[in-house]
Amino acid sequence: MAEKHEGFTEEERAAMKERAKELKASSRRGSRSAKSAKADGESDVLAKIAEMPEADRVLAARVHEIVKANAPELTPKLWYGMPAYARNGKVLCFFQAAHKFKSRYATLGFSDEATGLDDGTMWPTVFALTTLTAADEARIGQLVKTAVN
């Protein structure tokens, strides 16, 4: 018998609550300098990564390093409780830990702000991650560079 599901899951409600906290914190910080916002965002992202279970933490930390190395102009920030990277305040890409929604794999996703990834009428915008090889890391770096341009 299929389980009847109404409304949002517990994980979805938690993500929405995290987003509300992020917006409240952002408004409290006010119109600080871009450098200050980037530093605050970076510390928030690193703290969130540190809270993750080991498998997710290893992937998230490496993705964070790859994004910073390949697109230093992006600003780290939290987005629905996930590490994300923004340009002009708009999220361009994000990491979703597997444990967040009890998924079997973590994901690296790109928003519609990443127009450089467009290829024809259909292209991937979210990539499943289970481990990162050198080739995977190079591909992520290239995807991030392309998404920023």
Side-chain angles (χ1 to χ4, degrees):
M1 177 183 229
E3 180 181 318
K4 186 175 181 181
H5 179 72
E6 291 185 34
F8 295 106
T9 66
E10 183 178 323
E11 294 81 14
E12 290 167 332
R13 284 192 301 276
M16 288 185 285
K17 286 178 184 177
E18 284 188 87
R19 182 67 181 139
K21 284 180 9 185
E22 293 159 12
L23 292 170
K24 187 180 278 188
S26 176
S27 70
R28 277 196 307 264
R29 289 178 180 151
S31 59
R32 299 169 96 182
S33 72
K35 187 176 181 180
S36 177
K38 194 167 192 167
D40 289 344
E42 174 121 23
S43 62
D44 291 346
V45 164
L46 291 174
K48 183 58 74 175
I49 291 170
E51 295 172 2
M52 294 177 184
E54 184 177 4
D56 287 330
R57 185 173 57 249
V58 169
L59 289 171
R62 192 63 195 123
V63 166
H64 180 73
E65 292 169 10
I66 293 167
V67 172
K68 282 183 53 174
N70 288 280
E73 65 272 30
L74 295 181
T75 302
K77 66 185 278 180
L78 292 179
W79 186 59
Y80 293 93
M82 297 178 286
Y85 305 88
R87 178 177 52 202
N88 301 324
K90 295 182 179 182
V91 170
L92 188 94
C93 61
F94 59 91
F95 175 85
Q96 183 176 302
H99 86 278
K100 185 159 187 74
F101 294 104
K102 298 177 182 164
S103 176
R104 68 184 181 123
Y105 46 78
T107 58
L108 172 64
F110 293 88
S111 75
D112 58 348
E113 293 294 315
T115 56
L117 300 177
D118 299 10
D119 183 18
T121 60
M122 187 172 115
W123 58 90
T125 59
V126 180
F127 298 84
L129 307 174
T130 56
T131 189
L132 292 177
T133 66
D136 298 332
E137 291 181 4
R139 184 169 182 209
I140 290 170
Q142 189 56 54
L143 286 167
V144 169
K145 284 179 185 176
T146 302
V148 169
N149 293 328

PDB file of all heavy atoms in Angstrom, residues 86-106:
ATOM      1  N   ALA A  86      26.905  32.719  -5.080  1.00  0.00           N
ATOM      2  CA  ALA A  86      26.053  33.693  -5.748  1.00  0.00           C
ATOM      3  C   ALA A  86      26.858  34.747  -6.495  1.00  0.00           C
ATOM      4  O   ALA A  86      27.999  35.049  -6.156  1.00  0.00           O
ATOM      5  CB  ALA A  86      25.165  34.379  -4.722  1.00  0.00           C
ATOM      6  N   ARG A  87      26.196  35.304  -7.489  1.00  0.00           N
ATOM      7  CA  ARG A  87      26.714  36.450  -8.236  1.00  0.00           C
ATOM      8  C   ARG A  87      25.634  37.514  -8.171  1.00  0.00           C
ATOM      9  O   ARG A  87      24.468  37.241  -8.484  1.00  0.00           O
ATOM     10  CB  ARG A  87      27.011  36.065  -9.688  1.00  0.00           C
ATOM     11  CG  ARG A  87      27.497  37.237 -10.518  1.00  0.00           C
ATOM     12  CD  ARG A  87      27.861  36.860 -11.927  1.00  0.00           C
ATOM     13  NE  ARG A  87      26.759  36.134 -12.561  1.00  0.00           N
ATOM     14  CZ  ARG A  87      26.909  35.316 -13.601  1.00  0.00           C
ATOM     15  NH1 ARG A  87      28.091  35.104 -14.101  1.00  0.00           N
ATOM     16  NH2 ARG A  87      25.877  34.709 -14.121  1.00  0.00           N
ATOM     17  N   ASN A  88      26.006  38.704  -7.735  1.00  0.00           N
ATOM     18  CA  ASN A  88      25.044  39.798  -7.592  1.00  0.00           C
ATOM     19  C   ASN A  88      23.845  39.384  -6.741  1.00  0.00           C
ATOM     20  O   ASN A  88      22.707  39.729  -7.037  1.00  0.00           O
ATOM     21  CB  ASN A  88      24.573  40.300  -8.959  1.00  0.00           C
ATOM     22  CG  ASN A  88      25.721  40.797  -9.811  1.00  0.00           C
ATOM     23  OD1 ASN A  88      26.674  41.388  -9.303  1.00  0.00           O
ATOM     24  ND2 ASN A  88      25.666  40.528 -11.104  1.00  0.00           N
ATOM     25  N   GLY A  89      24.098  38.600  -5.707  1.00  0.00           N
ATOM     26  CA  GLY A  89      23.051  38.189  -4.780  1.00  0.00           C
ATOM     27  C   GLY A  89      22.201  37.024  -5.242  1.00  0.00           C
ATOM     28  O   GLY A  89      21.366  36.532  -4.490  1.00  0.00           O
ATOM     29  N   LYS A  90      22.396  36.564  -6.473  1.00  0.00           N
ATOM     30  CA  LYS A  90      21.586  35.469  -7.007  1.00  0.00           C
ATOM     31  C   LYS A  90      22.401  34.185  -7.060  1.00  0.00           C
ATOM     32  O   LYS A  90      23.516  34.173  -7.593  1.00  0.00           O
ATOM     33  CB  LYS A  90      21.067  35.816  -8.406  1.00  0.00           C
ATOM     34  CG  LYS A  90      20.103  36.992  -8.376  1.00  0.00           C
ATOM     35  CD  LYS A  90      19.569  37.290  -9.745  1.00  0.00           C
ATOM     36  CE  LYS A  90      18.600  38.463  -9.665  1.00  0.00           C
ATOM     37  NZ  LYS A  90      18.026  38.761 -10.964  1.00  0.00           N
ATOM     38  N   VAL A  91      21.824  33.105  -6.525  1.00  0.00           N
ATOM     39  CA  VAL A  91      22.525  31.829  -6.468  1.00  0.00           C
ATOM     40  C   VAL A  91      22.786  31.308  -7.871  1.00  0.00           C
ATOM     41  O   VAL A  91      21.881  31.221  -8.702  1.00  0.00           O
ATOM     42  CB  VAL A  91      21.717  30.806  -5.643  1.00  0.00           C
ATOM     43  CG1 VAL A  91      22.310  29.410  -5.767  1.00  0.00           C
ATOM     44  CG2 VAL A  91      21.672  31.229  -4.185  1.00  0.00           C
ATOM     45  N   LEU A  92      24.040  30.954  -8.117  1.00  0.00           N
ATOM     46  CA  LEU A  92      24.457  30.405  -9.403  1.00  0.00           C
ATOM     47  C   LEU A  92      24.604  28.884  -9.312  1.00  0.00           C
ATOM     48  O   LEU A  92      24.205  28.159 -10.205  1.00  0.00           O
ATOM     49  CB  LEU A  92      25.776  31.043  -9.820  1.00  0.00           C
ATOM     50  CG  LEU A  92      26.231  30.714 -11.215  1.00  0.00           C
ATOM     51  CD1 LEU A  92      25.751  31.788 -12.175  1.00  0.00           C
ATOM     52  CD2 LEU A  92      27.733  30.595 -11.271  1.00  0.00           C
ATOM     53  N   CYS A  93      25.198  28.410  -8.192  1.00  0.00           N
ATOM     54  CA  CYS A  93      25.332  26.973  -7.996  1.00  0.00           C
ATOM     55  C   CYS A  93      25.258  26.662  -6.502  1.00  0.00           C
ATOM     56  O   CYS A  93      25.423  27.550  -5.668  1.00  0.00           O
ATOM     57  CB  CYS A  93      26.622  26.434  -8.620  1.00  0.00           C
ATOM     58  SG  CYS A  93      28.150  27.113  -7.950  1.00  0.00           S
ATOM     59  N   PHE A  94      24.990  25.391  -6.195  1.00  0.00           N
ATOM     60  CA  PHE A  94      24.803  24.994  -4.801  1.00  0.00           C
ATOM     61  C   PHE A  94      25.158  23.526  -4.624  1.00  0.00           C
ATOM     62  O   PHE A  94      25.151  22.742  -5.570  1.00  0.00           O
ATOM     63  CB  PHE A  94      23.358  25.237  -4.347  1.00  0.00           C
ATOM     64  CG  PHE A  94      22.348  24.498  -5.175  1.00  0.00           C
ATOM     65  CD1 PHE A  94      21.922  23.228  -4.820  1.00  0.00           C
ATOM     66  CD2 PHE A  94      21.832  25.067  -6.333  1.00  0.00           C
ATOM     67  CE1 PHE A  94      21.008  22.528  -5.606  1.00  0.00           C
ATOM     68  CE2 PHE A  94      20.911  24.384  -7.117  1.00  0.00           C
ATOM     69  CZ  PHE A  94      20.495  23.104  -6.754  1.00  0.00           C
ATOM     70  N   PHE A  95      25.467  23.177  -3.380  1.00  0.00           N
ATOM     71  CA  PHE A  95      25.747  21.796  -3.001  1.00  0.00           C
ATOM     72  C   PHE A  95      24.627  21.346  -2.073  1.00  0.00           C
ATOM     73  O   PHE A  95      24.269  22.048  -1.144  1.00  0.00           O
ATOM     74  CB  PHE A  95      27.090  21.701  -2.267  1.00  0.00           C
ATOM     75  CG  PHE A  95      27.381  20.321  -1.747  1.00  0.00           C
ATOM     76  CD1 PHE A  95      27.969  19.373  -2.563  1.00  0.00           C
ATOM     77  CD2 PHE A  95      27.054  19.966  -0.447  1.00  0.00           C
ATOM     78  CE1 PHE A  95      28.232  18.089  -2.095  1.00  0.00           C
ATOM     79  CE2 PHE A  95      27.314  18.687   0.028  1.00  0.00           C
ATOM     80  CZ  PHE A  95      27.895  17.748  -0.796  1.00  0.00           C
ATOM     81  N   GLN A  96      24.073  20.181  -2.346  1.00  0.00           N
ATOM     82  CA  GLN A  96      23.043  19.612  -1.474  1.00  0.00           C
ATOM     83  C   GLN A  96      23.565  18.299  -0.907  1.00  0.00           C
ATOM     84  O   GLN A  96      23.854  17.366  -1.655  1.00  0.00           O
ATOM     85  CB  GLN A  96      21.744  19.370  -2.225  1.00  0.00           C
ATOM     86  CG  GLN A  96      20.638  18.844  -1.320  1.00  0.00           C
ATOM     87  CD  GLN A  96      19.337  18.703  -2.059  1.00  0.00           C
ATOM     88  OE1 GLN A  96      18.829  19.676  -2.620  1.00  0.00           O
ATOM     89  NE2 GLN A  96      18.792  17.513  -2.086  1.00  0.00           N
ATOM     90  N   ALA A  97      23.703  18.253   0.407  1.00  0.00           N
ATOM     91  CA  ALA A  97      24.199  17.052   1.073  1.00  0.00           C
ATOM     92  C   ALA A  97      23.179  15.929   0.956  1.00  0.00           C
ATOM     93  O   ALA A  97      21.969  16.171   0.977  1.00  0.00           O
ATOM     94  CB  ALA A  97      24.473  17.351   2.544  1.00  0.00           C
ATOM     95  N   ALA A  98      23.666  14.719   0.834  1.00  0.00           N
ATOM     96  CA  ALA A  98      22.776  13.551   0.724  1.00  0.00           C
ATOM     97  C   ALA A  98      21.891  13.421   1.947  1.00  0.00           C
ATOM     98  O   ALA A  98      20.702  13.112   1.837  1.00  0.00           O
ATOM     99  CB  ALA A  98      23.603  12.282   0.534  1.00  0.00           C
ATOM    100  N   HIS A  99      22.449  13.682   3.123  1.00  0.00           N
ATOM    101  CA  HIS A  99      21.662  13.502   4.352  1.00  0.00           C
ATOM    102  C   HIS A  99      20.527  14.504   4.474  1.00  0.00           C
ATOM    103  O   HIS A  99      19.550  14.250   5.157  1.00  0.00           O
ATOM    104  CB  HIS A  99      22.570  13.568   5.590  1.00  0.00           C
ATOM    105  CG  HIS A  99      22.806  14.952   6.090  1.00  0.00           C
ATOM    106  ND1 HIS A  99      23.745  15.795   5.536  1.00  0.00           N
ATOM    107  CD2 HIS A  99      22.210  15.645   7.090  1.00  0.00           C
ATOM    108  CE1 HIS A  99      23.715  16.945   6.185  1.00  0.00           C
ATOM    109  NE2 HIS A  99      22.796  16.884   7.124  1.00  0.00           N
ATOM    110  N   LYS A 100      20.621  15.648   3.794  1.00  0.00           N
ATOM    111  CA  LYS A 100      19.620  16.706   3.955  1.00  0.00           C
ATOM    112  C   LYS A 100      18.210  16.230   3.627  1.00  0.00           C
ATOM    113  O   LYS A 100      17.271  16.529   4.352  1.00  0.00           O
ATOM    114  CB  LYS A 100      19.977  17.916   3.098  1.00  0.00           C
ATOM    115  CG  LYS A 100      19.033  19.081   3.343  1.00  0.00           C
ATOM    116  CD  LYS A 100      19.654  20.361   2.927  1.00  0.00           C
ATOM    117  CE  LYS A 100      18.831  21.541   3.295  1.00  0.00           C
ATOM    118  NZ  LYS A 100      18.834  21.882   4.687  1.00  0.00           N
ATOM    119  N   PHE A 101      18.072  15.490   2.546  1.00  0.00           N
ATOM    120  CA  PHE A 101      16.749  14.977   2.167  1.00  0.00           C
ATOM    121  C   PHE A 101      16.750  13.449   2.124  1.00  0.00           C
ATOM    122  O   PHE A 101      15.958  12.844   1.413  1.00  0.00           O
ATOM    123  CB  PHE A 101      16.308  15.566   0.824  1.00  0.00           C
ATOM    124  CG  PHE A 101      16.064  17.046   0.898  1.00  0.00           C
ATOM    125  CD1 PHE A 101      16.976  17.940   0.371  1.00  0.00           C
ATOM    126  CD2 PHE A 101      14.937  17.548   1.534  1.00  0.00           C
ATOM    127  CE1 PHE A 101      16.766  19.305   0.459  1.00  0.00           C
ATOM    128  CE2 PHE A 101      14.717  18.911   1.625  1.00  0.00           C
ATOM    129  CZ  PHE A 101      15.634  19.800   1.091  1.00  0.00           C
ATOM    130  N   LYS A 102      17.678  12.856   2.874  1.00  0.00           N
ATOM    131  CA  LYS A 102      17.787  11.400   2.974  1.00  0.00           C
ATOM    132  C   LYS A 102      17.906  10.751   1.594  1.00  0.00           C
ATOM    133  O   LYS A 102      17.256   9.775   1.276  1.00  0.00           O
ATOM    134  CB  LYS A 102      16.613  10.826   3.767  1.00  0.00           C
ATOM    135  CG  LYS A 102      16.570  11.343   5.190  1.00  0.00           C
ATOM    136  CD  LYS A 102      15.381  10.823   5.945  1.00  0.00           C
ATOM    137  CE  LYS A 102      15.379  11.432   7.342  1.00  0.00           C
ATOM    138  NZ  LYS A 102      14.118  11.301   8.002  1.00  0.00           N
ATOM    139  N   SER A 103      18.775  11.349   0.791  1.00  0.00           N
ATOM    140  CA  SER A 103      19.010  10.880  -0.572  1.00  0.00           C
ATOM    141  C   SER A 103      20.207   9.931  -0.575  1.00  0.00           C
ATOM    142  O   SER A 103      21.012   9.935   0.345  1.00  0.00           O
ATOM    143  CB  SER A 103      19.304  12.088  -1.466  1.00  0.00           C
ATOM    144  OG  SER A 103      19.626  11.693  -2.771  1.00  0.00           O
ATOM    145  N   ARG A 104      20.333   9.147  -1.617  1.00  0.00           N
ATOM    146  CA  ARG A 104      21.467   8.225  -1.672  1.00  0.00           C
ATOM    147  C   ARG A 104      22.727   8.887  -2.182  1.00  0.00           C
ATOM    148  O   ARG A 104      23.811   8.299  -2.158  1.00  0.00           O
ATOM    149  CB  ARG A 104      21.132   6.985  -2.498  1.00  0.00           C
ATOM    150  CG  ARG A 104      20.938   7.212  -3.950  1.00  0.00           C
ATOM    151  CD  ARG A 104      20.517   5.905  -4.643  1.00  0.00           C
ATOM    152  NE  ARG A 104      20.365   6.147  -6.053  1.00  0.00           N
ATOM    153  CZ  ARG A 104      21.027   5.492  -6.985  1.00  0.00           C
ATOM    154  NH1 ARG A 104      21.861   4.547  -6.655  1.00  0.00           N
ATOM    155  NH2 ARG A 104      20.842   5.778  -8.244  1.00  0.00           N
ATOM    156  N   TYR A 105      22.649  10.117  -2.677  1.00  0.00           N
ATOM    157  CA  TYR A 105      23.837  10.821  -3.134  1.00  0.00           C
ATOM    158  C   TYR A 105      23.676  12.328  -2.931  1.00  0.00           C
ATOM    159  O   TYR A 105      22.574  12.857  -2.887  1.00  0.00           O
ATOM    160  CB  TYR A 105      24.140  10.536  -4.612  1.00  0.00           C
ATOM    161  CG  TYR A 105      22.944  10.632  -5.523  1.00  0.00           C
ATOM    162  CD1 TYR A 105      22.452  11.861  -5.927  1.00  0.00           C
ATOM    163  CD2 TYR A 105      22.305   9.481  -5.977  1.00  0.00           C
ATOM    164  CE1 TYR A 105      21.350  11.951  -6.758  1.00  0.00           C
ATOM    165  CE2 TYR A 105      21.206   9.562  -6.809  1.00  0.00           C
ATOM    166  CZ  TYR A 105      20.731  10.797  -7.192  1.00  0.00           C
ATOM    167  OH  TYR A 105      19.638  10.897  -8.009  1.00  0.00           O
ATOM    168  N   ALA A 106      24.803  13.004  -2.788  1.00  0.00           N
ATOM    169  CA  ALA A 106      24.832  14.462  -2.727  1.00  0.00           C
ATOM    170  C   ALA A 106      24.697  14.989  -4.151  1.00  0.00           C
ATOM    171  O   ALA A 106      24.892  14.241  -5.120  1.00  0.00           O
ATOM    172  CB  ALA A 106      26.146  14.921  -2.114  1.00  0.00           C
TER     173      ALA A 106
END
